[in-house]
Amino acid sequence: MGYITPEVVGKFPGFLSPSAGLKFADIPNGLASVSKIPALGWGQMVAYAGYCELSGPQTRAANTADYADIVPGDYGFKVLTSSNPQQLTSKLNAEIANGRLAMMACLGMLFQDGLTGSAWGDWALFTASPLR
């Protein structure tokens, strides 16, 4: 989402940091954004993530004494189902393979962005290639 959405939909209007005169449009996509976001902005993101982690859900699963009878990932419905055990195994293995493929694609986008400055890979910008 962080790579694709700003390219397709655009960025928020207005200022990211009014005191610094920094607009959302001034922040580049991808790895280049790491150095452009102010330190206080990173602090806010870390603080919010910490709040989400520490406040946690106030549900039965938040009580560790109840973990013994709770199955991880059981949300009360099944997406991948089959009455045939072999077909179910095949579907579950396909889901794992698709997840791994998606992780490799994201890793490839990060490497390409690090080398060329663009996740979409304008290799003409990568002048330090040992293949040239």
Side-chain angles (χ1 to χ4, degrees):
M1 293 269 317
Y3 278 102
I4 298 168
T5 303
E7 294 281 337
V8 175
V9 178
K11 298 179 181 177
F12 289 121
F15 285 90
L16 173 68
S17 175
S19 61
L22 186 63
K23 295 183 177 183
F24 284 103
D26 298 336
I27 303 295
N29 287 347
L31 297 175
S33 66
V34 173
S35 64
K36 303 292 186 222
I37 297 174
L40 188 56
W42 285 111
Q44 288 173 336
M45 287 186 260
V46 169
Y48 180 69
Y51 167 76
C52 290
E53 287 291 327
L54 295 175
S55 64
Q58 303 302 318
T59 64
R60 180 172 169 253
N63 184 355
T64 57
D66 291 334
Y67 280 152
D69 62 338
I70 295 176
V71 178
D74 185 6
Y75 298 110
F77 63 92
K78 299 285 185 200
V79 177
L80 300 174
T81 61
S82 178
S83 58
N84 182 348
Q86 289 177 333
Q87 189 178 23
L88 179 61
T89 301
S90 175
K91 287 181 178 182
L92 292 173
N93 286 339
E95 182 67 18
I96 290 172
N98 288 338
R100 290 175 178 162
L101 179 62
M103 287 187 280
M104 291 305 296
C106 289
L107 188 60
M109 284 177 63
L110 285 171
F111 268 93
Q112 195 159 332
D113 187 10
L115 291 174
T116 67
S118 169
W120 314 116
D122 186 359
W123 286 101
L125 300 175
F126 184 50
T127 56
S129 171
L131 301 175
R132 291 182 186 244

